[in-house]
Amino acid sequence: MASNPAYVHNGTASPDNYTDMYKRPPGSQDIAKSHSSKRSMCIQLFGILIFVLGLGIGICIGYFVIHPVESGTGGCQVGVVSSDVTPKTTLASVKQTMSSPTNVVDPPPDSGPTSGILATQPPGLEKADLCPENKMPFKSSSSAERGIFELLTPDEMVRVRDALVARGLISPEPGTPDLKSNYIYGMTLHQPNKTDALSHLDLGANTPGRYAEVHVHRGSGASPDLMEFKVGPLDGLMVTATPLYPDGELRYNSRPRDGIEWDGITEQVTKAMTKLRPLLMESFDGGYYPGGGLIFHPQAPPSLEADERETRFVMALAVDGTARGRDLHALPLTGTVHNPGVDKSQWYTHSFYYLNQGPFSTVEELLDAYRNDSIRKFAFPRGFRQTIWGTTFPKQDAQQPREFSSTKAAPRTYEPSGARYTVHDHTVKWMDWEFTLGASQFRGPSLHNVKFKNERIVYENSLNEVSLVYASDVSSGANTIYMDATFGIGEFQDTIIGIDCPEHAQLLDATWWNSYSQSPVSAKAICVFEADGQEALWRRKDKFAGGLRNHYLIARYPMSVGNYDYTVEYRFFLNGNMETVAMASGYMQTSFWDPENPHAGIDKATDPYGYRVADYTHGALHDHTFGFKVDVDILGSQNSFEIINWKAGDVVKALRTQSNITTKPPYYLYNDTRYIEWYKLQQEAGLTVNLQKPEFWTVVNDKYKNKWGVKRGYVIVPTHPVGQVIPDSHPVMKAIAYTKYHCAVTQQRDSERALSGTYDLNQLNQATGSLDDYINNETIVNTDIVNWVSIGFLHVPTSEDVPMTARVEAGFWLKPWNYFDRGAFFDVPQYIDTRDHSVTERPTTTKQCVENKQEDCYFCN
């Protein structure tokens, strides 16, 4: 706490602020001094005695706090904290009702994460009392030792680059390339064919090998194009490079935008804005570009045709200390850069709009109209630009009083016995779960070979795409569409410890290829940790009290993709449930709020596309739709898709679904009842959630049944499903056809690797990766099937989204559906207590320890 200046003077207490008790009264006598001295000596001796006594008592109390005495076994052990006590079941008087005691297998003496408020290490606490440190992950030393789903390492990426250079497939010059050269603009692991992978994993066949999928920009030839290569095997002596497409099939102008192209666009915008400087300075509070507080942002798509390249851009206010604070401060000035091909000398700007007035074919034409007062004008109030940092940079609002409770440390969790999971490379084991984490530079996070109790449940669960379609009444934002896989969902950065992940999380590397520097990037981008749900997985208060605390494992991927930050996480539960969650936060991409817009409402606070959310900011409505490839394998890859319809109707009709009854039995009091009907999906189809007609979507194995004669399976449960309202006639819908369905079921084909095309955003009229093309009436009964699951949220921005959008999320569950004979979580100690304490069971108790010190600074390394 800061010192009060009224009580401080040159570093010492000010005499003017002494209280009366410290001021000596006038006229003091020597005798008074003598009596005062004797009295003072007695007080001091008494004080020393009290201090010694208190010190002894304090030492005793401290010893027993750190080394508590274990209580006896009888009665309820309330409030006892001990070191790694193994759980036990007590059987006393229950012997009267049981023929023999049940054998109880003690689990390892490990404790799950425990919630608590962690302070600094208390004085005198020994080093041994620190919480155990995690010594993970264990890493393979060579490509040959890595699994077939393991991410590429930086060394492997360099080897791939060198192999392509040696074969003359990319330019050998180091450093930043130019558009007229051949260079790598992205690289990820090439997924093996599923049949080969399963033969290796399940039958011990030879490994299919580790290969890289390399996307190459080929600008050096007479007819520039794009190419994808399969390069490897990386665990072999001889590396080959196999083209995956015919020459010229991947059109050059459908390329993803990268930093090299951005430099060329910048040159054109700079030329145009230099000429428009008088308009900029008058309209935008003295700002100008370049170097004068303004900035530009290119938008997408650059065209609808594969052979065109017209990049629209919007000017914005730059916000110091941020890269994307500009997204909250779009300006009413837009233009287009004509930028096809590799010859930047042929690029130029055109189609300028100012306050939605245009298009003006050149900047000179716009400037003439502005100077002649033939168009409507706008000007910020003087000094407005100096206010935007305070409203945009996301720090505590200095204008608001600080909430008193925020001065106290918040609760958090720690691992008193160390991690209860292990990590080898990117393969994680926890309790009965085992899986391999993956990450694609283009598509983002993935899971492979997910097993529960040694049985594969999921072959693949991977994010494929995130699409956004904006709507706004401005010249640029009215047409904005993003398909984030085009830009690279998986260009990862380090996690923010304490924000993205708890301090005890294990961080894992994710790699990608930087096209600008032509080098690999490795980031601590994935975190794995066990979470304390601080809730019951199950509970019951009966004649007994029982339950199980909900601990679960999380694998989390935080990602910055443009102005938005996405987080995808996979959650694994003790009962065999698996949840996939996608979250979004960050800066909104907004449009300019024009106070004089004739299309705005009467109150000038709304328009057909949303709300005014700040001084000159409109929250453009949009959606976020995440598409996942979910390849569920139930006891093998030969599965069927069963839909269970939840219905209501006549009792006789319900009974006749499984018998020939004609008369309602007399024990039914009502004519109507609820019942279910099973329907096996015969052919590929796209499904949507209809809340008026509830359904359960299950993947089952017709050959394997549980103890009760029911087919074993898992159910797919989307949470918070939203619908697509854009009609098929819209140019984007073929490319993002997956957004029409909540789950589409198709036959598994290695050629159908993802639910969208890598280049389709930039060639919407010739989209090649539409999910609709996969749904072509093939049989899906007792065969290998894939479920394409889409989740998301509709975003109508409001003022609470400024300056940062608080996290929104959606997800889906995979849950056992008669897969087990009983609940799968009774292989761990439960909490059980009976009134007479005849049956007691407890999970492992926790050991008090002090968390290892963490660096609370992202940019310190």
Side-chain angles (χ1 to χ4, degrees), residues 88-101:
K88 54 187 175 181
T89 300
T90 303
L91 300 171
S93 57
V94 292
K95 292 180 180 178
Q96 298 175 4
T97 58
M98 300 176 63
S99 59
S100 61

Side-chain angles (χ1 to χ4, degrees), residues 410-436:
R412 70 184 194 208
T413 58
Y414 66 104
E415 295 173 330
S417 299
R420 300 200 296 178
Y421 57 89
T422 61
V423 183
H424 187 106
D425 292 330
H426 291 79
T427 296
V428 181
K429 295 181 180 181
W430 174 77
M431 299 299 183
D432 289 319
W433 288 99
E434 180 180 355
F435 51 87
T436 299

Side-chain angles (χ1 to χ4, degrees), residues 80 121 159 188 202 210 325 333 341 382 432 610 634 737 787 825 839 853:
V80 176
Q121 182 168 327
R159 187 182 185 196
T188 191
D202 298 343
R210 287 172 54 75
L333 177 60
R382 186 172 182 179
D432 289 319
I634 302 300
N787 308 281
F825 46 84
V839 180
K853 182 176 176 57

Side-chain angles (χ1 to χ4, degrees), residues 41 101 111 143 155 201 319 327 337 362 416 427 478 538 543 582 617 639 720 824 840:
M41 183 178 297
S111 304
S143 294
D155 288 344
L201 294 172
V319 181
D327 287 86
V337 176
T362 65
T427 296
W538 75 268
K543 290 186 177 181
T617 303
N639 295 158
H720 306 102
T840 63

Side-chain angles (χ1 to χ4, degrees), residues 277 279-282 284-289 292-294 317 385:
R277 186 163 176 170
L279 180 153
L280 299 178
M281 294 187 69
E282 287 183 18
F284 307 131
D285 190 25
Y288 56 90
Y289 181 85
L294 304 189
L317 297 180
R385 287 196 300 116

Side-chain angles (χ1 to χ4, degrees), residues 39-53:
R39 185 165 56 250
S40 176
M41 183 178 297
C42 291
I43 292 172
Q44 291 175 6
L45 289 173
F46 181 73
I48 291 172
L49 181 63
I50 294 297
F51 172 76
V52 172
L53 182 62

Side-chain angles (χ1 to χ4, degrees), residues 318-379:
V319 181
D320 291 343
T322 75
R324 297 305 295 258
R326 67 183 188 229
D327 287 86
L328 287 180
H329 300 285
L331 297 175
L333 177 60
T334 67
T336 301
V337 176
H338 173 76
N339 62 316
V342 300
D343 187 356
K344 293 190 293 184
S345 67
Q346 301 300 310
W347 295 5
Y348 58 86
T349 54
H350 64 94
S351 300
F352 292 91
Y353 286 84
Y354 176 81
L355 286 171
N356 282 357
Q357 300 166 108
F360 298 95
S361 59
T362 65
V363 290
E364 290 84 1
E365 185 179 330
L366 169 57
L367 192 58
D368 286 345
Y370 182 84
R371 286 171 169 168
N372 295 334
D373 294 328
S374 60
I375 58 174
R376 187 165 59 91
K377 296 183 179 181
F378 167 83

